[in-house]
Amino acid sequence: MDLGLQGRTVLVTGASGGMGREIATVFGAEGADVVVGYRSRPEDAAETAARVGKAGGRALTAGYGLGDPGTARSLVRAALDWTGRIDVLVNNAFRPFGFRPPGDRFEDVGDDWQGKLRDNVEGVVELTRLVAPAMRERGWGRIVHLSSSMVTEGVLETDAGPIGSEYYAAAKAALHGFSRSTAFSLGRDGDILTNVVVPGLTRTFRNEERMANSFGVAERYAARAPLGRLPDATEVARVVVFLASAANTAVTGQSVTVGAGA
């Protein structure tokens, strides 16, 4: 199937590793021009760019930090200066929370939980606002927001899980409402589609060590899934890329779960 991404300009945030690296690489395999957004690891972003090139696409690296409107504007400007267009935005970046030991309570979480909550919502909204005019002008665009199964499932075990998962889930839940509403306002100006991809706990090259120290959470999620395993980042990336492609002509305003059936 021709996904119609050859020569289209794609912005992927948080693309220096993990899920974002796989998403960028799959876009590269479709011949896209990929802007690799990264926060603090230019060497890792360069590795992603090399993978995109090896897959068959072109890549440009550009700094971007959630909660920093200045970097959002510079990311958009870099894309427009490079190719003169923005066809796809993948909002993959997030401010993370680590794992907490059993027994901790969400109300005891400190260390800027309010800032993380705001950045995970407002950063995505701001960048989407900035790319919307370019998409409206061309009458074509695709936006995909990465969410989390925590929004609908919560944490599998009540006594262990990511630090601040309650706040992280709240931030991701906001993206579902935002995407659903913007599907209507963007859709009236052309073939502009917006969706949310909802991964379950997913294996990436970066989180294997974290999973090994997650108090058995990864194993319990895998055991619960109909496929008996966790998905890997490439499997999630393929769904993202389809939704962001010209082959997707009718899916918009939806939330698509990718969790090996869990």
Side-chain angles (χ1 to χ4, degrees), residues 109-147:
V109 173
D111 298 330
D112 192 30
W113 68 266
Q114 292 166 309
K116 289 180 179 179
L117 180 63
R118 284 195 300 269
D119 289 350
N120 280 319
V121 176
E122 294 176 9
V124 169
V125 172
E126 176 66 18
L127 188 54
T128 305
R129 282 167 48 88
L130 290 171
V131 304
M135 293 181 178
R136 292 187 197 273
E137 182 179 355
R138 298 183 69 85
W140 198 96
R142 300 288 187 269
I143 299 169
V144 181
H145 307 291
L146 271 293
S147 181

PDB file of all heavy atoms in Angstrom, residues 109-147:
ATOM      1  N   VAL A 109       3.300  13.193  46.064  1.00  0.00           N
ATOM      2  CA  VAL A 109       4.232  13.517  44.989  1.00  0.00           C
ATOM      3  C   VAL A 109       4.509  15.014  44.978  1.00  0.00           C
ATOM      4  O   VAL A 109       3.591  15.832  44.982  1.00  0.00           O
ATOM      5  CB  VAL A 109       3.652  13.083  43.623  1.00  0.00           C
ATOM      6  CG1 VAL A 109       4.544  13.575  42.482  1.00  0.00           C
ATOM      7  CG2 VAL A 109       3.513  11.573  43.570  1.00  0.00           C
ATOM      8  N   GLY A 110       5.762  15.358  44.980  1.00  0.00           N
ATOM      9  CA  GLY A 110       6.152  16.763  44.908  1.00  0.00           C
ATOM     10  C   GLY A 110       6.888  17.027  43.613  1.00  0.00           C
ATOM     11  O   GLY A 110       6.527  16.521  42.558  1.00  0.00           O
ATOM     12  N   ASP A 111       7.922  17.848  43.695  1.00  0.00           N
ATOM     13  CA  ASP A 111       8.836  18.065  42.571  1.00  0.00           C
ATOM     14  C   ASP A 111       8.130  18.485  41.290  1.00  0.00           C
ATOM     15  O   ASP A 111       8.200  17.822  40.254  1.00  0.00           O
ATOM     16  CB  ASP A 111       9.675  16.807  42.310  1.00  0.00           C
ATOM     17  CG  ASP A 111      10.551  16.444  43.500  1.00  0.00           C
ATOM     18  OD1 ASP A 111      10.952  17.364  44.228  1.00  0.00           O
ATOM     19  OD2 ASP A 111      10.792  15.254  43.705  1.00  0.00           O
ATOM     20  N   ASP A 112       7.393  19.575  41.370  1.00  0.00           N
ATOM     21  CA  ASP A 112       6.860  20.220  40.183  1.00  0.00           C
ATOM     22  C   ASP A 112       5.840  19.372  39.432  1.00  0.00           C
ATOM     23  O   ASP A 112       5.833  19.317  38.206  1.00  0.00           O
ATOM     24  CB  ASP A 112       8.007  20.607  39.232  1.00  0.00           C
ATOM     25  CG  ASP A 112       7.553  21.538  38.112  1.00  0.00           C
ATOM     26  OD1 ASP A 112       6.609  22.306  38.334  1.00  0.00           O
ATOM     27  OD2 ASP A 112       8.138  21.472  37.022  1.00  0.00           O
ATOM     28  N   TRP A 113       4.948  18.701  40.156  1.00  0.00           N
ATOM     29  CA  TRP A 113       3.914  17.950  39.441  1.00  0.00           C
ATOM     30  C   TRP A 113       3.005  18.881  38.643  1.00  0.00           C
ATOM     31  O   TRP A 113       2.527  18.519  37.568  1.00  0.00           O
ATOM     32  CB  TRP A 113       3.090  17.092  40.415  1.00  0.00           C
ATOM     33  CG  TRP A 113       2.215  17.868  41.373  1.00  0.00           C
ATOM     34  CD1 TRP A 113       2.534  18.243  42.635  1.00  0.00           C
ATOM     35  CD2 TRP A 113       0.884  18.345  41.138  1.00  0.00           C
ATOM     36  NE1 TRP A 113       1.491  18.931  43.212  1.00  0.00           N
ATOM     37  CE2 TRP A 113       0.457  19.006  42.312  1.00  0.00           C
ATOM     38  CE3 TRP A 113       0.011  18.267  40.054  1.00  0.00           C
ATOM     39  CZ2 TRP A 113      -0.798  19.587  42.422  1.00  0.00           C
ATOM     40  CZ3 TRP A 113      -1.247  18.851  40.171  1.00  0.00           C
ATOM     41  CH2 TRP A 113      -1.639  19.502  41.346  1.00  0.00           C
ATOM     42  N   GLN A 114       2.791  20.099  39.163  1.00  0.00           N
ATOM     43  CA  GLN A 114       1.943  21.047  38.433  1.00  0.00           C
ATOM     44  C   GLN A 114       2.592  21.477  37.126  1.00  0.00           C
ATOM     45  O   GLN A 114       1.936  21.590  36.095  1.00  0.00           O
ATOM     46  CB  GLN A 114       1.660  22.260  39.312  1.00  0.00           C
ATOM     47  CG  GLN A 114       0.766  21.949  40.512  1.00  0.00           C
ATOM     48  CD  GLN A 114       0.782  23.067  41.531  1.00  0.00           C
ATOM     49  OE1 GLN A 114       1.848  23.515  41.951  1.00  0.00           O
ATOM     50  NE2 GLN A 114      -0.394  23.498  41.943  1.00  0.00           N
ATOM     51  N   GLY A 115       3.900  21.702  37.176  1.00  0.00           N
ATOM     52  CA  GLY A 115       4.612  22.082  35.961  1.00  0.00           C
ATOM     53  C   GLY A 115       4.586  20.977  34.919  1.00  0.00           C
ATOM     54  O   GLY A 115       4.401  21.228  33.720  1.00  0.00           O
ATOM     55  N   LYS A 116       4.768  19.746  35.371  1.00  0.00           N
ATOM     56  CA  LYS A 116       4.732  18.621  34.433  1.00  0.00           C
ATOM     57  C   LYS A 116       3.340  18.462  33.823  1.00  0.00           C
ATOM     58  O   LYS A 116       3.197  18.181  32.626  1.00  0.00           O
ATOM     59  CB  LYS A 116       5.158  17.342  35.141  1.00  0.00           C
ATOM     60  CG  LYS A 116       6.639  17.309  35.484  1.00  0.00           C
ATOM     61  CD  LYS A 116       7.036  16.019  36.186  1.00  0.00           C
ATOM     62  CE  LYS A 116       8.528  16.011  36.481  1.00  0.00           C
ATOM     63  NZ  LYS A 116       8.956  14.772  37.180  1.00  0.00           N
ATOM     64  N   LEU A 117       2.320  18.624  34.647  1.00  0.00           N
ATOM     65  CA  LEU A 117       0.951  18.536  34.143  1.00  0.00           C
ATOM     66  C   LEU A 117       0.702  19.597  33.087  1.00  0.00           C
ATOM     67  O   LEU A 117       0.173  19.317  31.995  1.00  0.00           O
ATOM     68  CB  LEU A 117      -0.035  18.686  35.308  1.00  0.00           C
ATOM     69  CG  LEU A 117      -1.522  18.620  34.977  1.00  0.00           C
ATOM     70  CD1 LEU A 117      -1.897  17.263  34.423  1.00  0.00           C
ATOM     71  CD2 LEU A 117      -2.351  18.943  36.211  1.00  0.00           C
ATOM     72  N   ARG A 118       1.086  20.829  33.379  1.00  0.00           N
ATOM     73  CA  ARG A 118       0.876  21.916  32.420  1.00  0.00           C
ATOM     74  C   ARG A 118       1.651  21.679  31.130  1.00  0.00           C
ATOM     75  O   ARG A 118       1.099  21.840  30.029  1.00  0.00           O
ATOM     76  CB  ARG A 118       1.296  23.254  33.041  1.00  0.00           C
ATOM     77  CG  ARG A 118       0.303  23.817  34.044  1.00  0.00           C
ATOM     78  CD  ARG A 118       0.616  25.278  34.324  1.00  0.00           C
ATOM     79  NE  ARG A 118       1.970  25.426  34.864  1.00  0.00           N
ATOM     80  CZ  ARG A 118       2.257  25.417  36.158  1.00  0.00           C
ATOM     81  NH1 ARG A 118       1.294  25.243  37.047  1.00  0.00           N
ATOM     82  NH2 ARG A 118       3.498  25.561  36.571  1.00  0.00           N
ATOM     83  N   ASP A 119       2.916  21.312  31.244  1.00  0.00           N
ATOM     84  CA  ASP A 119       3.735  21.146  30.045  1.00  0.00           C
ATOM     85  C   ASP A 119       3.211  20.035  29.147  1.00  0.00           C
ATOM     86  O   ASP A 119       3.207  20.164  27.923  1.00  0.00           O
ATOM     87  CB  ASP A 119       5.186  20.858  30.429  1.00  0.00           C
ATOM     88  CG  ASP A 119       5.887  22.070  31.001  1.00  0.00           C
ATOM     89  OD1 ASP A 119       5.319  23.174  30.936  1.00  0.00           O
ATOM     90  OD2 ASP A 119       7.014  21.917  31.523  1.00  0.00           O
ATOM     91  N   ASN A 120       2.771  18.931  29.750  1.00  0.00           N
ATOM     92  CA  ASN A 120       2.285  17.813  28.951  1.00  0.00           C
ATOM     93  C   ASN A 120       0.982  18.125  28.229  1.00  0.00           C
ATOM     94  O   ASN A 120       0.651  17.471  27.240  1.00  0.00           O
ATOM     95  CB  ASN A 120       2.109  16.567  29.828  1.00  0.00           C
ATOM     96  CG  ASN A 120       3.427  15.860  30.080  1.00  0.00           C
ATOM     97  OD1 ASN A 120       4.251  15.724  29.193  1.00  0.00           O
ATOM     98  ND2 ASN A 120       3.631  15.421  31.307  1.00  0.00           N
ATOM     99  N   VAL A 121       0.250  19.122  28.697  1.00  0.00           N
ATOM    100  CA  VAL A 121      -0.958  19.559  27.992  1.00  0.00           C
ATOM    101  C   VAL A 121      -0.646  20.779  27.121  1.00  0.00           C
ATOM    102  O   VAL A 121      -0.857  20.773  25.899  1.00  0.00           O
ATOM    103  CB  VAL A 121      -2.096  19.905  28.975  1.00  0.00           C
ATOM    104  CG1 VAL A 121      -3.306  20.444  28.216  1.00  0.00           C
ATOM    105  CG2 VAL A 121      -2.487  18.689  29.799  1.00  0.00           C
ATOM    106  N   GLU A 122      -0.146  21.816  27.743  1.00  0.00           N
ATOM    107  CA  GLU A 122       0.004  23.088  27.041  1.00  0.00           C
ATOM    108  C   GLU A 122       1.051  23.028  25.939  1.00  0.00           C
ATOM    109  O   GLU A 122       0.904  23.695  24.906  1.00  0.00           O
ATOM    110  CB  GLU A 122       0.346  24.180  28.051  1.00  0.00           C
ATOM    111  CG  GLU A 122      -0.790  24.456  29.031  1.00  0.00           C
ATOM    112  CD  GLU A 122      -0.409  25.463  30.098  1.00  0.00           C
ATOM    113  OE1 GLU A 122       0.672  26.079  29.983  1.00  0.00           O
ATOM    114  OE2 GLU A 122      -1.197  25.638  31.048  1.00  0.00           O
ATOM    115  N   GLY A 123       2.101  22.236  26.136  1.00  0.00           N
ATOM    116  CA  GLY A 123       3.120  22.118  25.093  1.00  0.00           C
ATOM    117  C   GLY A 123       2.547  21.538  23.814  1.00  0.00           C
ATOM    118  O   GLY A 123       2.838  22.007  22.705  1.00  0.00           O
ATOM    119  N   VAL A 124       1.725  20.510  23.952  1.00  0.00           N
ATOM    120  CA  VAL A 124       1.097  19.882  22.787  1.00  0.00           C
ATOM    121  C   VAL A 124       0.121  20.838  22.119  1.00  0.00           C
ATOM    122  O   VAL A 124       0.099  20.965  20.883  1.00  0.00           O
ATOM    123  CB  VAL A 124       0.386  18.584  23.217  1.00  0.00           C
ATOM    124  CG1 VAL A 124      -0.495  18.056  22.097  1.00  0.00           C
ATOM    125  CG2 VAL A 124       1.411  17.530  23.632  1.00  0.00           C
ATOM    126  N   VAL A 125      -0.685  21.509  22.909  1.00  0.00           N
ATOM    127  CA  VAL A 125      -1.659  22.445  22.351  1.00  0.00           C
ATOM    128  C   VAL A 125      -0.951  23.576  21.610  1.00  0.00           C
ATOM    129  O   VAL A 125      -1.345  23.960  20.494  1.00  0.00           O
ATOM    130  CB  VAL A 125      -2.573  23.000  23.456  1.00  0.00           C
ATOM    131  CG1 VAL A 125      -3.460  24.123  22.919  1.00  0.00           C
ATOM    132  CG2 VAL A 125      -3.443  21.881  24.046  1.00  0.00           C
ATOM    133  N   GLU A 126       0.107  24.098  22.201  1.00  0.00           N
ATOM    134  CA  GLU A 126       0.829  25.206  21.576  1.00  0.00           C
ATOM    135  C   GLU A 126       1.412  24.813  20.224  1.00  0.00           C
ATOM    136  O   GLU A 126       1.270  25.540  19.234  1.00  0.00           O
ATOM    137  CB  GLU A 126       1.955  25.689  22.498  1.00  0.00           C
ATOM    138  CG  GLU A 126       2.844  26.783  21.923  1.00  0.00           C
ATOM    139  CD  GLU A 126       2.121  28.098  21.696  1.00  0.00           C
ATOM    140  OE1 GLU A 126       1.035  28.298  22.284  1.00  0.00           O
ATOM    141  OE2 GLU A 126       2.646  28.950  20.947  1.00  0.00           O
ATOM    142  N   LEU A 127       2.065  23.651  20.161  1.00  0.00           N
ATOM    143  CA  LEU A 127       2.674  23.236  18.899  1.00  0.00           C
ATOM    144  C   LEU A 127       1.607  22.952  17.846  1.00  0.00           C
ATOM    145  O   LEU A 127       1.777  23.279  16.668  1.00  0.00           O
ATOM    146  CB  LEU A 127       3.557  22.005  19.128  1.00  0.00           C
ATOM    147  CG  LEU A 127       4.416  21.567  17.938  1.00  0.00           C
ATOM    148  CD1 LEU A 127       5.273  22.721  17.417  1.00  0.00           C
ATOM    149  CD2 LEU A 127       5.295  20.383  18.330  1.00  0.00           C
ATOM    150  N   THR A 128       0.492  22.386  18.253  1.00  0.00           N
ATOM    151  CA  THR A 128      -0.596  22.137  17.315  1.00  0.00           C
ATOM    152  C   THR A 128      -1.149  23.447  16.762  1.00  0.00           C
ATOM    153  O   THR A 128      -1.460  23.559  15.564  1.00  0.00           O
ATOM    154  CB  THR A 128      -1.711  21.322  17.999  1.00  0.00           C
ATOM    155  OG1 THR A 128      -1.157  20.115  18.545  1.00  0.00           O
ATOM    156  CG2 THR A 128      -2.812  20.970  17.019  1.00  0.00           C
ATOM    157  N   ARG A 129      -1.290  24.437  17.627  1.00  0.00           N
ATOM    158  CA  ARG A 129      -1.731  25.766  17.177  1.00  0.00           C
ATOM    159  C   ARG A 129      -0.792  26.333  16.121  1.00  0.00           C
ATOM    160  O   ARG A 129      -1.227  26.955  15.145  1.00  0.00           O
ATOM    161  CB  ARG A 129      -1.792  26.732  18.362  1.00  0.00           C
ATOM    162  CG  ARG A 129      -3.000  26.590  19.250  1.00  0.00           C
ATOM    163  CD  ARG A 129      -2.810  27.366  20.556  1.00  0.00           C
ATOM    164  NE  ARG A 129      -2.330  28.721  20.337  1.00  0.00           N
ATOM    165  CZ  ARG A 129      -3.115  29.787  20.124  1.00  0.00           C
ATOM    166  NH1 ARG A 129      -4.423  29.628  20.107  1.00  0.00           N
ATOM    167  NH2 ARG A 129      -2.600  30.972  19.952  1.00  0.00           N
ATOM    168  N   LEU A 130       0.500  26.106  16.307  1.00  0.00           N
ATOM    169  CA  LEU A 130       1.488  26.697  15.407  1.00  0.00           C
ATOM    170  C   LEU A 130       1.530  26.032  14.034  1.00  0.00           C
ATOM    171  O   LEU A 130       1.841  26.688  13.036  1.00  0.00           O
ATOM    172  CB  LEU A 130       2.878  26.637  16.056  1.00  0.00           C
ATOM    173  CG  LEU A 130       3.093  27.553  17.261  1.00  0.00           C
ATOM    174  CD1 LEU A 130       4.424  27.250  17.944  1.00  0.00           C
ATOM    175  CD2 LEU A 130       3.046  29.028  16.845  1.00  0.00           C
ATOM    176  N   VAL A 131       1.232  24.726  13.967  1.00  0.00           N
ATOM    177  CA  VAL A 131       1.269  24.058  12.662  1.00  0.00           C
ATOM    178  C   VAL A 131      -0.055  24.176  11.913  1.00  0.00           C
ATOM    179  O   VAL A 131      -0.100  23.991  10.692  1.00  0.00           O
ATOM    180  CB  VAL A 131       1.646  22.566  12.789  1.00  0.00           C
ATOM    181  CG1 VAL A 131       2.976  22.409  13.508  1.00  0.00           C
ATOM    182  CG2 VAL A 131       0.557  21.751  13.459  1.00  0.00           C
ATOM    183  N   ALA A 132      -1.131  24.470  12.623  1.00  0.00           N
ATOM    184  CA  ALA A 132      -2.447  24.497  11.993  1.00  0.00           C
ATOM    185  C   ALA A 132      -2.532  25.449  10.796  1.00  0.00           C
ATOM    186  O   ALA A 132      -3.115  25.085   9.760  1.00  0.00           O
ATOM    187  CB  ALA A 132      -3.525  24.836  13.027  1.00  0.00           C
ATOM    188  N   PRO A 133      -1.988  26.683  10.865  1.00  0.00           N
ATOM    189  CA  PRO A 133      -2.112  27.572   9.701  1.00  0.00           C
ATOM    190  C   PRO A 133      -1.492  27.006   8.431  1.00  0.00           C
ATOM    191  O   PRO A 133      -2.058  27.162   7.342  1.00  0.00           O
ATOM    192  CB  PRO A 133      -1.386  28.843  10.169  1.00  0.00           C
ATOM    193  CG  PRO A 133      -1.511  28.821  11.654  1.00  0.00           C
ATOM    194  CD  PRO A 133      -1.399  27.384  12.034  1.00  0.00           C
ATOM    195  N   ALA A 134      -0.338  26.343   8.550  1.00  0.00           N
ATOM    196  CA  ALA A 134       0.313  25.771   7.363  1.00  0.00           C
ATOM    197  C   ALA A 134      -0.542  24.659   6.766  1.00  0.00           C
ATOM    198  O   ALA A 134      -0.625  24.513   5.541  1.00  0.00           O
ATOM    199  CB  ALA A 134       1.693  25.241   7.736  1.00  0.00           C
ATOM    200  N   MET A 135      -1.180  23.886   7.613  1.00  0.00           N
ATOM    201  CA  MET A 135      -2.050  22.811   7.118  1.00  0.00           C
ATOM    202  C   MET A 135      -3.314  23.382   6.479  1.00  0.00           C
ATOM    203  O   MET A 135      -3.768  22.920   5.432  1.00  0.00           O
ATOM    204  CB  MET A 135      -2.396  21.850   8.255  1.00  0.00           C
ATOM    205  CG  MET A 135      -1.210  21.062   8.771  1.00  0.00           C
ATOM    206  SD  MET A 135      -1.667  19.910  10.110  1.00  0.00           S
ATOM    207  CE  MET A 135      -0.092  19.119  10.424  1.00  0.00           C
ATOM    208  N   ARG A 136      -3.891  24.367   7.114  1.00  0.00           N
ATOM    209  CA  ARG A 136      -5.099  24.992   6.542  1.00  0.00           C
ATOM    210  C   ARG A 136      -4.784  25.618   5.179  1.00  0.00           C
ATOM    211  O   ARG A 136      -5.588  25.544   4.254  1.00  0.00           O
ATOM    212  CB  ARG A 136      -5.642  26.046   7.491  1.00  0.00           C
ATOM    213  CG  ARG A 136      -6.227  25.511   8.800  1.00  0.00           C
ATOM    214  CD  ARG A 136      -6.876  26.649   9.574  1.00  0.00           C
ATOM    215  NE  ARG A 136      -7.106  26.361  10.973  1.00  0.00           N
ATOM    216  CZ  ARG A 136      -8.197  25.757  11.455  1.00  0.00           C
ATOM    217  NH1 ARG A 136      -9.141  25.365  10.617  1.00  0.00           N
ATOM    218  NH2 ARG A 136      -8.342  25.554  12.749  1.00  0.00           N
ATOM    219  N   GLU A 137      -3.617  26.244   5.071  1.00  0.00           N
ATOM    220  CA  GLU A 137      -3.247  26.910   3.812  1.00  0.00           C
ATOM    221  C   GLU A 137      -3.166  25.907   2.663  1.00  0.00           C
ATOM    222  O   GLU A 137      -3.599  26.193   1.538  1.00  0.00           O
ATOM    223  CB  GLU A 137      -1.912  27.629   3.980  1.00  0.00           C
ATOM    224  CG  GLU A 137      -1.460  28.382   2.739  1.00  0.00           C
ATOM    225  CD  GLU A 137      -0.147  29.103   2.945  1.00  0.00           C
ATOM    226  OE1 GLU A 137       0.383  29.107   4.077  1.00  0.00           O
ATOM    227  OE2 GLU A 137       0.366  29.663   1.954  1.00  0.00           O
ATOM    228  N   ARG A 138      -2.615  24.715   2.933  1.00  0.00           N
ATOM    229  CA  ARG A 138      -2.472  23.700   1.896  1.00  0.00           C
ATOM    230  C   ARG A 138      -3.726  22.836   1.762  1.00  0.00           C
ATOM    231  O   ARG A 138      -3.881  22.092   0.788  1.00  0.00           O
ATOM    232  CB  ARG A 138      -1.275  22.799   2.192  1.00  0.00           C
ATOM    233  CG  ARG A 138       0.063  23.528   2.208  1.00  0.00           C
ATOM    234  CD  ARG A 138       1.207  22.545   2.424  1.00  0.00           C
ATOM    235  NE  ARG A 138       1.379  21.683   1.271  1.00  0.00           N
ATOM    236  CZ  ARG A 138       2.090  22.005   0.188  1.00  0.00           C
ATOM    237  NH1 ARG A 138       2.719  23.180   0.140  1.00  0.00           N
ATOM    238  NH2 ARG A 138       2.189  21.180  -0.832  1.00  0.00           N
ATOM    239  N   GLY A 139      -4.601  22.905   2.761  1.00  0.00           N
ATOM    240  CA  GLY A 139      -5.808  22.095   2.719  1.00  0.00           C
ATOM    241  C   GLY A 139      -5.555  20.622   2.961  1.00  0.00           C
ATOM    242  O   GLY A 139      -6.375  19.769   2.589  1.00  0.00           O
ATOM    243  N   TRP A 140      -4.427  20.309   3.599  1.00  0.00           N
ATOM    244  CA  TRP A 140      -4.076  18.913   3.883  1.00  0.00           C
ATOM    245  C   TRP A 140      -3.194  18.867   5.122  1.00  0.00           C
ATOM    246  O   TRP A 140      -2.309  19.701   5.306  1.00  0.00           O
ATOM    247  CB  TRP A 140      -3.319  18.282   2.715  1.00  0.00           C
ATOM    248  CG  TRP A 140      -3.299  16.775   2.746  1.00  0.00           C
ATOM    249  CD1 TRP A 140      -4.145  15.950   2.089  1.00  0.00           C
ATOM    250  CD2 TRP A 140      -2.394  15.930   3.477  1.00  0.00           C
ATOM    251  NE1 TRP A 140      -3.833  14.631   2.355  1.00  0.00           N
ATOM    252  CE2 TRP A 140      -2.762  14.596   3.204  1.00  0.00           C
ATOM    253  CE3 TRP A 140      -1.317  16.168   4.335  1.00  0.00           C
ATOM    254  CZ2 TRP A 140      -2.089  13.495   3.758  1.00  0.00           C
ATOM    255  CZ3 TRP A 140      -0.650  15.083   4.904  1.00  0.00           C
ATOM    256  CH2 TRP A 140      -1.043  13.758   4.610  1.00  0.00           C
ATOM    257  N   GLY A 141      -3.440  17.877   5.960  1.00  0.00           N
ATOM    258  CA  GLY A 141      -2.588  17.708   7.130  1.00  0.00           C
ATOM    259  C   GLY A 141      -3.012  16.516   7.964  1.00  0.00           C
ATOM    260  O   GLY A 141      -4.154  16.050   7.878  1.00  0.00           O
ATOM    261  N   ARG A 142      -2.084  16.036   8.761  1.00  0.00           N
ATOM    262  CA  ARG A 142      -2.358  14.941   9.677  1.00  0.00           C
ATOM    263  C   ARG A 142      -1.675  15.262  11.015  1.00  0.00           C
ATOM    264  O   ARG A 142      -0.499  15.650  11.042  1.00  0.00           O
ATOM    265  CB  ARG A 142      -1.813  13.603   9.146  1.00  0.00           C
ATOM    266  CG  ARG A 142      -2.384  13.159   7.800  1.00  0.00           C
ATOM    267  CD  ARG A 142      -3.819  12.715   7.925  1.00  0.00           C
ATOM    268  NE  ARG A 142      -4.339  12.129   6.687  1.00  0.00           N
ATOM    269  CZ  ARG A 142      -4.961  12.819   5.735  1.00  0.00           C
ATOM    270  NH1 ARG A 142      -5.123  14.145   5.876  1.00  0.00           N
ATOM    271  NH2 ARG A 142      -5.419  12.217   4.647  1.00  0.00           N
ATOM    272  N   ILE A 143      -2.420  15.071  12.092  1.00  0.00           N
ATOM    273  CA  ILE A 143      -1.881  15.269  13.440  1.00  0.00           C
ATOM    274  C   ILE A 143      -2.154  14.005  14.239  1.00  0.00           C
ATOM    275  O   ILE A 143      -3.275  13.481  14.223  1.00  0.00           O
ATOM    276  CB  ILE A 143      -2.527  16.482  14.134  1.00  0.00           C
ATOM    277  CG1 ILE A 143      -2.249  17.766  13.350  1.00  0.00           C
ATOM    278  CG2 ILE A 143      -2.015  16.619  15.576  1.00  0.00           C
ATOM    279  CD1 ILE A 143      -3.062  18.968  13.809  1.00  0.00           C
ATOM    280  N   VAL A 144      -1.134  13.506  14.907  1.00  0.00           N
ATOM    281  CA  VAL A 144      -1.283  12.343  15.774  1.00  0.00           C
ATOM    282  C   VAL A 144      -0.688  12.680  17.132  1.00  0.00           C
ATOM    283  O   VAL A 144       0.475  13.085  17.221  1.00  0.00           O
ATOM    284  CB  VAL A 144      -0.597  11.094  15.195  1.00  0.00           C
ATOM    285  CG1 VAL A 144      -0.801   9.902  16.131  1.00  0.00           C
ATOM    286  CG2 VAL A 144      -1.134  10.767  13.803  1.00  0.00           C
ATOM    287  N   HIS A 145      -1.487  12.515  18.173  1.00  0.00           N
ATOM    288  CA  HIS A 145      -1.026  12.710  19.541  1.00  0.00           C
ATOM    289  C   HIS A 145      -0.785  11.344  20.183  1.00  0.00           C
ATOM    290  O   HIS A 145      -1.625  10.446  20.062  1.00  0.00           O
ATOM    291  CB  HIS A 145      -2.078  13.453  20.373  1.00  0.00           C
ATOM    292  CG  HIS A 145      -2.561  14.743  19.770  1.00  0.00           C
ATOM    293  ND1 HIS A 145      -1.771  15.864  19.667  1.00  0.00           N
ATOM    294  CD2 HIS A 145      -3.764  15.077  19.236  1.00  0.00           C
ATOM    295  CE1 HIS A 145      -2.470  16.841  19.115  1.00  0.00           C
ATOM    296  NE2 HIS A 145      -3.675  16.387  18.838  1.00  0.00           N
ATOM    297  N   LEU A 146       0.331  11.192  20.866  1.00  0.00           N
ATOM    298  CA  LEU A 146       0.594   9.958  21.604  1.00  0.00           C
ATOM    299  C   LEU A 146       0.053  10.103  23.020  1.00  0.00           C
ATOM    300  O   LEU A 146       0.398  11.040  23.741  1.00  0.00           O
ATOM    301  CB  LEU A 146       2.093   9.660  21.646  1.00  0.00           C
ATOM    302  CG  LEU A 146       2.675   8.822  20.506  1.00  0.00           C
ATOM    303  CD1 LEU A 146       2.162   7.400  20.543  1.00  0.00           C
ATOM    304  CD2 LEU A 146       2.390   9.453  19.146  1.00  0.00           C
ATOM    305  N   SER A 147      -0.798   9.175  23.409  1.00  0.00           N
ATOM    306  CA  SER A 147      -1.392   9.178  24.737  1.00  0.00           C
ATOM    307  C   SER A 147      -0.875   7.982  25.522  1.00  0.00           C
ATOM    308  O   SER A 147       0.255   7.537  25.343  1.00  0.00           O
ATOM    309  CB  SER A 147      -2.922   9.160  24.616  1.00  0.00           C
ATOM    310  OG  SER A 147      -3.531   9.196  25.886  1.00  0.00           O
TER     311      SER A 147
END
